[in-house]
Amino acid sequence: MEIVLRPIGYVRNNFNSREKMDYDEDVSEIVVYDEFVPGLYRIEDEEYITIIFYFHLSNEEKLITIRRDGKETGVFASRSPNRPNHLGIATGRLLKREGNVLTVKGIDCLNQTPVLDIKPKSRKFDGVDG
C-alpha cells in the first residue's frame, strides 16, 4: 500500500527551535495554498482548529523518548517529533482569517512546517471541552 500526502500549506512564524516557543501565547499564521482556499469556506465560524502537520526537521525515529518533563516514555505517549511517520497535531485558537491566511494562537509548530490538513475542534469527536 502506498500512502501519498501533499501539503495544503505551511506555518509562518518566527520560530526555528521549540525551545524558544511559548506554546500558550505564541501566534502563528497558516498559509494555505491557493488551490485549497475554497476548503476554508466558513472556517472563521470556528473558535479552535486542529492542524495536522509534518515534522519536516525530524530525521530520527525513536520508540522510546524523553518528554519535556524529563520522563522517559514511549513515543506514542509523547509529542516527540521523532515518530515513525513524523506526523504531528496541534490545536489552537483561530484569531482571524484573511484570504488564504489563518492567524492561530497556541500551536507548537516551527516556521515552514508543512500543513497536511485542518479540522475544526469538535467536543463530540475530540472528547474534550473547549
Side-chain angles (χ1 to χ4, degrees):
M1 171 189 339
E2 179 179 350
I3 298 173
V4 178
L5 301 174
R6 59 186 178 143
I8 63 162
Y10 62 93
V11 175
R12 183 167 58 198
N13 60 31
N14 295 321
F15 302 103
N16 296 311
S17 167
R18 293 182 347 164
E19 288 78 31
K20 298 179 181 178
M21 297 180 81
D22 179 343
Y23 302 106
D24 294 324
E25 295 300 321
D26 288 331
V27 174
S28 298
E29 294 179 325
I30 307 299
V31 180
V32 176
Y33 297 134
D34 290 341
E35 65 185 291
F36 299 107
V37 170
L40 295 176
Y41 177 63
R42 294 189 61 185
I43 197 164
E44 55 275 2
D45 294 347
E46 302 299 327
E47 185 175 2
Y48 289 89
I49 57 173
T50 298
I51 309 302
I52 300 159
F53 61 92
Y54 184 74
F55 284 110
H56 67 298
L57 299 178
S58 179
N59 56 8
E60 294 184 72
E61 177 183 319
K62 295 180 182 177
L63 295 180
I64 301 294
T65 189
I66 304 296
R67 294 183 351 180
R68 291 180 192 150
D69 62 8
K71 294 180 183 175
E72 185 177 72
T73 187
V75 71
F76 302 129
S78 79
R79 294 184 63 87
S80 170
N82 301 317
R83 317 181 74 75
N85 289 304
H86 302 290
L87 294 178
I89 62 168
T91 298
R93 183 180 199 132
L94 179 60
L95 302 177
K96 66 180 175 179
R97 173 191 173 191
E98 293 179 329
N100 69 322
V101 179
L102 305 176
T103 302
V104 182
K105 181 177 181 180
I107 61 172
D108 59 345
C109 300
L110 300 179
N111 192 42
Q112 299 300 310
T113 295
V115 174
L116 302 175
D117 205 351
I118 301 169
K119 295 178 179 277
K121 181 178 174 187
S122 167
R123 288 183 183 164
K124 178 180 177 182
F125 296 113
D126 296 333
V128 295
D129 290 332

